[in-house]
C-alpha cells in the first residue's frame, strides 16, 4: 500500500480516457496527468486509494518516443489542452482507440462486422478555434488578467496568446482584443467580476471569428445592465479592422454559466457571417456553431456521404441548432426537417435558410425527445399509410409537416415527412430513450449519428441494435486537436 506524498518511479503503459498516463508499481495502478505511453517518470502520489492512486508528474526520466515539447508555455497548468505533450500521430491513435474501445466495451459491438474508416485528422493541428471565451479576473498581484481556467478549478491561468485560436491574416486578434479591453478597464476603473464576492462588472469576453469572412465579434459578459464608457471601447476596438460587431451580454446570476440570456448590440449588426461549404450562416453571440470550421466541412461531408442522398429523400435532423447540418444536407435532399429546443436557434435556422434561398428545409422548436414523439403521435396514421417506394415519393399521404411553432403541431400540410434518413447530433448526454423509440417507429432506412461523446454513442448504438438497426460504418474526426475530445460519425441501417 502506498501513501500520499510517496515518490515513485513508474513506466507509463496505457492512456486513460481523459488523457492521463497509466502505470503500475508492484500491482498498484497510478494515473498520471501529462504523462505519455512509454515515459519513464518520477511521480508523487497526490491521492491514494486502496488499489490505485493519482500522481503528479515530477520528472520525465526517459521520454517516450511519442513525447513532444508542448508549443504552449502553460500547457500543463491550463485546463484547455490535455494532449500537447503527445505527438499528433499518437493523439489520433489515442482518440480512435478511445471511440472503438467504448463501442466494444460499453456498446458490446462486434467491430469485425463494422467498416471502421481511418480517423480524419487535421493538416495543421493548431490555430483552428473560431470561438474563444476568456474569463477576466485579478492575479495574485491584484492586476486585471485573463486566460483560461486551470483544470477542474476557477483559477485563471494567464495566457496572452492561445495557440488554438484562429488567426486572421496572420494576426492574433484574440490577444489584441483582450489587451485593448484590459487597458480600457484599467483606464476607467472597471472591475473584473469576483466570483466569491459576486461583485465587479466584467466576467468573460467572448470572441468569434469568421473563418472565410474574417469578420470578428466581441461580446463582453457583464454583471450589470450597462458597460460604462462603452463608446470609448468601441473606438479603441475599431483599430482592429476585422472587428465588425461589439456587444454586451448580461449575466447577473451566480454559478458557472458563462452567458446570460440577454444581449445588447453596441456597434455593428449584432452578428457575423461564415460559411460551411457553400452555405452561409449568420452567427450571433448565443448561436451554437462548430468551433473548427475546416474540420466541420470534413465532418459534415462524411455525414452527407453516409446519408447517401439522391435528391428525393426526406431527412429529419434532430438537435439541429442554427441549421448547420440541416442546410448542408438540404442541398442534396428532397426535404429536411430540423428540430431544436432553443427558440433563438430556430429563428437563426429559418433566417439562414432564407439567406441561402433554401426552400426545402423546415424547423420545429422544442426538445427533440418531446416534439418528435408528439409529431409522430399526431400523424402516425398518415405516416403509416405512406408508400415510400421511389415511384410514389411525391404522391404520398398528406401530413402536418412544417415549421414556425414552439411545439410539434405545425401546419404546412403538403410535404411528405416520413423520414428516409434521420440525423442526430445530440449533446454529450446522448439521445433520450423516448426519442430513440420514436425514431424506430418512424422507420427510417438510415440513421446517421454524429457524436461528441463516444460513451453515450456506444450506449445508444447498443439500444438501436437491439431495436432493429445495425451499425454499418464508423469514422472519427479530430475536431479538437491537442485535447481529449473527438467527434464520431456512425451509420446505422434498418434491418429488413
Amino acid at each position: 500500500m502506498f501513501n500520499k506524498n510517496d515518490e515513485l518511479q513508474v513506466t507509463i503503459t496505457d492512456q486513460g480516457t481523459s488523457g492521463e498516463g497509466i502505470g503500475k508499481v508492484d500491482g498498484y495502478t497510478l494515473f498520471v496527468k501529462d504523462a505519455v505511453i512509454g515515459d519513464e517518470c518520477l511521480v508523487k502520489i497526490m491521492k491514494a486509494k486502496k488499489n490505485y492512486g493519482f500522481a503528479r508528474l515530477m520528472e520525465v526520466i526517459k521520454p517516450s518516443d511519442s513525447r513532444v515539447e508542448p508549443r504552449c508555455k502553460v500547457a500543463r497548468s491550463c485546463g484547455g489542452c490535455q494532449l500537447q505533450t503527445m505527438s499528433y500521430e499518437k493523439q489520433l491513435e489515442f482518440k480512435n482507440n478511445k471511440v472503438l474501445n467504448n463501442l466494444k466495451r460499453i456498446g458490446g459491438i462486434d467491430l469485425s462486422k463494422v467498416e471502421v474508416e481511418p480517423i480524419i485528422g487535421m493538416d495543421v493541428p493548431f490555430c483552428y478555434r473560431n470561438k474563444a471565451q476568456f474569463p477576466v479576473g485579478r492575479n495574485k498581484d491584484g492586476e486585471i488578467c485573463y486566460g483560461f481556467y486551470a483544470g477542474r478549478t476557477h483559477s485563471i491561468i494567464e495566457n496572452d496568446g492561445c495557440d488554438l485560436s484562429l488567426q486572421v491574416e496572420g494576426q492574433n486578434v484574440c490577444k489584441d482584443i483582450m489587451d485593448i479591453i484590459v487597458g480600457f478597464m484599467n483606464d476607467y476603473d472597471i472591475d473584473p467580476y469576483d466570483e466569491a464576492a459576486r461583485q465587479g462588472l466584467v466576467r468573460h469576453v467572448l470572441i468569434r471569428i469568421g473563418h472565410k469572412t474574417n469578420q470578428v465579434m466581441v461580446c463582453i459578459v457583464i454583471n450589470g445592465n450597462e458597460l460604462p464608457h462603452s463608446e470609448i471601447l468601441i473606438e479603441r476596438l475599431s483599430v482592429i479592422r476585422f472587428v465588425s460587431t461589439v456587444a454586451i451580454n448580461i449575466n447577473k446570476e451566480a454559478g458557472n454559466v458563462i452567458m446570460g440570456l440577454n444581449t445588447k448590440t453596441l456597434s455593428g449588426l449584432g452578428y457575423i457571417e461564415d460559411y460551411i461549404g457553400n452555405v452561409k450562416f449568420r452567427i450571433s453571440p448565443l448561436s451554437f456553431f462548430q468551433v473548427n470550421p475546416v474540420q466541420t466541412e470534413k465532418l459534415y461531408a462524411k455525414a452527407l456521404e453516409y446519408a447517401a442522398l439522391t435528391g428525393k429523400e426526406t431527412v429529419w435532423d434532430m438537435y439541429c441548432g442554427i441549421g448547420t447540418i440541416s442546410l448542408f444536407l438540404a442541398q442534396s435532399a428532397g426535404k429536411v426537417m430540423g428540430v431544436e429546443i432553443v427558440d433563438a436557434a430556430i429563428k437563426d435556422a429559418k433566417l439562414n435558410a432564407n439567406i441561402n434561398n433554401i426552400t426545402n428545409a423546415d424547423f420545429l422548436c422544442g426538445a427533440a425527445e418531446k416534439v418528435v414523439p408528439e409529431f409522430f403521435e399526431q400523424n402516425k396514421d398518415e405516416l403509416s399509410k405512406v408508400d415510400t417506394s421511389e415511384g410514389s415519393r411525391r404522391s404520398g399521404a398528406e401530413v402536418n409537416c412544417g415549421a414556425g411553432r414552439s411545439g410539434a403541431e405545425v401546419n404546412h400540410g403538403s410535404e411528405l415527412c416520413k423520414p428516409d434518413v434521420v440525423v442526430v447530433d445530440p449533446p454529450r448526454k446522448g439521445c433520450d430513450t423516448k426519442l430513440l423509440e420514436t425514431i424506430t417507429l418512424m422507420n427510417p432506412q438510415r440513421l446517421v449519428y454524429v457524436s461528441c461523446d463516444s460513451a453515450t454513442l456506444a450506449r445508444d448504438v447498443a439500444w438501436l441494435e437491439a431495436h432493429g438497426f445495425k451499425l454499418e460504418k464508423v469514422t472519427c474526426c479530430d475536431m479538437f486537436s491537442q485535447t481529449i475530445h473527438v467527434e464520431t460519425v456512425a451509420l446505422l441501417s434498418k434491418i429488413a
Side-chain angles (χ1 to χ4, degrees):
M1 174 67 180
F2 295 100
N3 300 305
K4 182 179 179 179
N5 295 325
D6 285 352
E7 292 194 1
L8 308 168
Q9 188 169 325
V10 61
T11 298
I12 304 301
T13 57
D14 201 358
Q15 212 82 32
T17 57
S18 296
E20 72 279 16
I22 303 174
K24 290 189 176 183
V25 178
D26 296 335
Y28 188 77
T29 302
L30 289 169
F31 297 90
V32 186
K33 181 179 175 292
D34 303 313
V36 177
I37 293 177
D39 280 344
E40 293 181 20
C41 316
L42 178 66
V43 304
K44 182 177 181 179
I45 297 179
M46 307 307 295
K47 182 183 293 186
K49 301 288 187 179
K50 182 178 179 180
N51 298 314
Y52 64 94
F54 299 93
R56 175 183 294 167
L57 178 64
M58 305 300 288
E59 179 186 351
V60 178
I61 298 170
K62 182 180 179 182
S64 164
D65 292 340
S66 301
R67 174 171 282 278
V68 296
E69 187 67 25
R71 176 165 159 171
C72 175
K73 62 182 182 294
V74 294
R76 281 192 67 179
S77 54
C78 175
C81 296
Q82 302 87 25
L83 302 180
Q84 268 205 43
T85 56
M86 186 185 293
S87 70
Y88 187 57
E89 179 183 7
K90 204 68 176 179
Q91 288 184 35
L92 296 179
E93 181 182 322
F94 161 75
K95 294 180 182 188
N96 206 57
N97 288 339
K98 176 179 176 178
V99 172
L100 299 183
N101 286 337
N102 280 338
L103 286 170
K104 286 189 291 187
R105 293 166 58 186
I106 298 173
I109 307 299
D110 181 359
L111 291 176
S112 67
K113 300 179 180 179
V114 178
E115 183 179 346
V116 179
E117 300 188 89
I119 186 171
I120 303 170
M122 295 188 65
D123 296 330
V124 181
F126 288 96
C127 302
Y128 62 84
R129 285 192 63 96
N130 59 16
K131 175 184 176 183
Q133 295 177 138
F134 296 100
V136 182
R138 292 192 184 274
N139 60 23
K140 61 183 179 180
D141 297 321
E143 299 168 332
I144 296 175
C145 67
Y146 67 92
F148 299 100
Y149 290 134
R152 299 179 181 178
T153 77
H154 274 200
S155 298
I156 296 175
I157 302 299
E158 295 185 60
N159 187 344
D160 62 1
C162 178
D163 290 308
L164 300 191
S165 294
L166 190 64
Q167 298 190 353
V168 183
E169 296 184 3
Q171 181 177 348
N172 189 339
V173 292
C174 289
K175 179 184 186 305
D176 295 341
I177 289 167
M178 292 306 301
D179 288 347
I180 288 172
I181 291 173
V182 170
F184 164 77
M185 292 174 65
N186 282 323
D187 289 347
Y188 290 93
D189 295 322
I190 296 173
D191 289 327
Y193 182 67
D194 183 320
E195 192 172 322
R198 294 189 61 186
Q199 294 178 345
L201 186 64
V202 177
R203 300 176 67 135
H204 280 78
V205 177
L206 165 70
I207 300 172
R208 307 192 83 145
I209 302 169
H211 172 58
K212 293 185 178 179
T213 62
N214 288 344
Q215 296 172 7
V216 176
M217 172 197 297
V218 181
C219 183
I220 302 99
V221 183
I222 60 172
N223 175 43
N225 295 317
E226 302 292 342
L227 179 64
H229 310 288
S230 58
E231 70 283 356
I232 303 297
L233 178 60
I234 293 167
E235 182 180 349
R236 292 186 182 185
L237 288 171
S238 68
V239 303
I240 303 174
R241 62 186 177 89
F242 308 109
V243 174
S244 58
T245 282
V246 180
I248 56 172
N249 175 267
I250 297 168
N251 182 3
K252 294 186 280 186
E253 300 297 321
N256 58 6
V257 175
I258 293 175
M259 303 292 287
L261 298 177
N262 297 317
T263 301
K264 296 180 181 179
T265 300
L266 301 181
S267 71
L269 297 174
Y271 59 84
I272 60 172
E273 294 178 326
D274 205 3
Y275 290 82
I276 297 176
N278 296 320
V279 183
K280 180 191 288 186
F281 292 92
R282 185 171 293 183
I283 308 162
S284 59
L286 297 176
S287 297
F288 172 79
F289 196 73
Q290 292 280 10
V291 300
N292 187 331
V294 173
Q295 292 297 95
T296 295
E297 289 198 18
K298 298 176 183 178
L299 178 75
Y300 287 5
K302 181 58 66 174
L304 178 61
E305 175 190 325
Y306 282 3
L309 302 177
T310 65
K312 300 177 181 179
E313 294 82 1
T314 295
V315 181
W316 279 70
D317 175 20
M318 314 298 183
Y319 312 98
C320 71
I322 63 171
T324 48
I325 294 181
S326 300
L327 300 182
F328 192 82
L329 295 176
Q331 300 172 100
S332 303
K335 176 74 180 177
V336 176
M337 287 291 299
V339 183
E340 169 60 44
I341 191 172
V342 180
D343 183 64
I346 286 292
K347 291 176 181 175
D348 283 345
K350 294 177 185 177
L351 182 61
N352 288 324
N354 290 333
I355 289 171
N356 291 278
N357 296 316
I358 293 174
T359 59
N360 61 334
D362 281 338
F363 300 93
L364 296 175
C365 184
E369 58 269 22
K370 181 176 185 293
V371 299
V372 176
E374 286 178 1
F375 177 90
F376 182 80
E377 182 64 27
Q378 291 170 9
N379 299 286
K380 62 182 178 181
D381 292 337
E382 290 85 348
L383 287 170
S384 65
K385 296 173 186 175
V386 173
D387 180 0
T388 58
S389 64
E390 184 174 341
S392 62
R393 286 297 309 151
R394 291 296 156 216
S395 59
E398 212 175 79
V399 297
N400 293 327
C401 173
R405 299 191 183 181
S406 57
E409 186 178 349
V410 287
N411 58 4
H412 293 299
S414 61
E415 294 92 348
L416 181 65
C417 285
K418 178 176 172 56
D420 304 289
V421 179
V422 168
V423 177
V424 294
D425 185 8
R428 293 194 184 281
K429 67 179 182 178
C431 293
D432 185 274
T433 303
K434 183 65 175 176
L435 175 63
L436 293 177
E437 290 172 350
T438 304
I439 289 172
T440 61
L441 292 173
M442 296 175 84
N443 201 33
Q445 293 305 301
R446 293 179 296 285
L447 172 61
V448 180
Y449 195 132
V450 181
S451 169
C452 60
D453 189 307
S454 57
T456 54
L457 167 69
R459 179 202 67 200
D460 291 348
V461 167
W463 191 97
L464 288 162
E465 285 216 328
H467 293 81
F469 286 86
K470 183 181 184 302
L471 181 62
E472 301 277 2
K473 297 181 180 181
V474 173
T475 306
C476 299
C477 182
D478 186 26
M479 296 278 285
F480 316 102
S481 78
Q482 316 307 322
T483 81
I484 59 172
H485 304 295
V486 59
E487 293 272 332
T488 309
V489 187
L491 170 64
L492 296 99
S493 297
K494 184 70 177 175
I495 299 174

